[in-house]
Amino acid sequence: PDRTIGMEILLRVAMGLIAFLFTYLISGKRVFSFFGKGTLYSFKRLKILCIPSFVLTVLLLCFLPMQETLQNDWTVRLIEYLLLFLSVGFFEEMAYRVLINEAMVKSFSEKKHIFLYTAIVSALLFGVTHILGSSFHSAIEIITGVLKTVSAGMLGTAFLFLFWKTGNILGAMLIHVLYDFVPLLPSVLYENKNSLKIEYVMDGTNGKIAIIGYVISILWAFYILRSLWKKELKDFDFEELRRLYL
């Protein structure tokens, strides 16, 4: 049977807490510092990621009132799904950014390119997670799956860049929540059967539209990663960061 929203929230909070616990076992009390100083800075630097989805959502909200009926329980649904995506952001940032980074860098800190390896592993795992359980019976499904993996991986790398720079993950969590939640606002607010069934691998016309969306997302993420690298990490002292793990 399908899990309820409440069950989904509890599951992700539990998994996030498990990731937090493992990180604590690896890095000790330093894990608490990831939620303090640098939150506002990270939020400001990453908010540009949400611009395309914000624009699209505003356009949809302007159009939908003429086509759909506002849900009677829209306030309850809004709170439910906001809590859901808060739990998703908490779990995914703790697991795919913090835990993977702390485990790999702590274990292989002497490796010259450990931060590069960490970024690759984090991006791949985060990207692949989004297409687990999907069916790949056509070329379009395969293409959408690959593009979604790349798109999500690049997004996650942007979060990792700021985590390295600031030592803060809370800012990335908040942007992650907005990035996931805002595009679904029209579906949450208005009648639309199965509108909240999120599928990343698609076929047919929906697949072709998804390909265009993923390509735009990848180009946007590339621009942001390039900007973050040049402005935040090009002259960053990775050796100083490495010494924290020795």
Side-chain angles (χ1 to χ4, degrees):
D2 293 336
R3 292 193 292 260
T4 65
I5 293 177
M7 291 173 64
E8 293 285 358
I9 293 171
L10 290 175
L11 177 62
R12 282 164 175 77
V13 169
M15 293 190 296
L17 289 174
I18 291 172
F20 182 92
L21 175 60
F22 276 104
T23 304
Y24 179 81
L25 294 175
I26 295 169
S27 302
K29 293 181 179 179
R30 196 166 71 89
V31 67
F32 296 105
S33 69
F34 300 158
F35 297 86
K37 185 178 179 181
T39 298
L40 185 59
Y41 181 84
S42 294
F43 186 89
K44 287 181 177 180
R45 294 297 290 120
L46 289 168
K47 65 183 180 182
I48 190 174
L49 280 166
C50 297
I51 289 178
S53 60
F54 269 68
V55 172
L56 178 60
T57 300
V58 169
L59 291 174
L60 286 173
L61 287 174
C62 290
F63 172 75
L64 277 174
M66 297 182 292
Q67 306 294 327
E68 303 287 350
T69 303
L70 189 67
Q71 296 270 16
N72 292 327
D73 60 345
W74 68 269
T75 53
V76 175
R77 288 164 58 85
L78 193 66
I79 293 171
E80 286 180 340
Y81 280 95
L82 180 57
L83 290 175
L84 173 62
F85 285 106
L86 281 169
S87 69
V88 169
F90 171 61
F91 160 62
E92 292 187 348
E93 293 308 311
M94 280 304 309
Y96 295 106
R97 249 64 68 192
V98 178
L99 180 56
I100 289 176
N101 178 80
E102 296 299 290
M104 288 191 64
V105 179
K106 183 75 173 179
S107 300
F108 306 102
S109 57
E110 75 284 356
K111 299 292 183 181
K112 182 178 180 180
H113 301 297
I114 184 56
F115 292 103
L116 173 61
Y117 301 150
T118 299
I120 292 172
V121 171
S122 174
L124 282 175
L125 290 177
F126 184 59
V128 169
T129 298
H130 286 77
I131 62 171
L132 287 178
S134 301
S135 300
F136 299 94
H137 300 303
S138 69
I140 292 180
E141 287 178 329
I142 293 172
I143 293 171
T144 55
V146 171
L147 290 177
K148 178 58 187 179
T149 300
V150 174
S151 173
M154 292 176 73
L155 173 70
T157 302
F159 294 153
L160 184 61
F161 278 3
L162 263 296
F163 177 56
W164 287 339
K165 171 72 175 183
T166 65
N168 177 279
I169 199 62
L170 183 56
M173 285 182 180
L174 295 175
I175 291 296
H176 192 149
V177 172
L178 290 175
Y179 186 89
D180 286 344
F181 179 65
V182 169
L184 284 178
L185 266 178
S187 298
V188 172
L189 297 175
Y190 290 92
E191 299 272 3
N192 195 350
K193 188 177 181 180
N194 296 325
S195 61
L196 295 179
K197 183 180 180 182
I198 303 174
E199 295 181 350
Y200 297 117
V201 176
M202 289 168 271
D203 198 5
T205 302
N206 288 340
K208 293 175 182 177
I209 295 173
I211 288 173
I212 296 173
Y214 290 152
V215 170
I216 293 173
S217 177
I218 288 170
L219 292 174
W220 187 246
F222 177 78
Y223 165 76
I224 292 169
L225 283 174
R226 184 172 178 270
S227 175
L228 287 175
W229 180 262
K230 291 176 67 175
K231 294 179 180 179
E232 306 290 344
L233 294 177
K234 186 177 180 180
D235 299 316
F236 182 69
D237 190 350
F238 280 97
E239 290 306 312
E240 181 180 348
L241 180 60
R242 187 196 304 270
R243 286 193 286 272
L244 293 175
Y245 296 89
L246 295 176

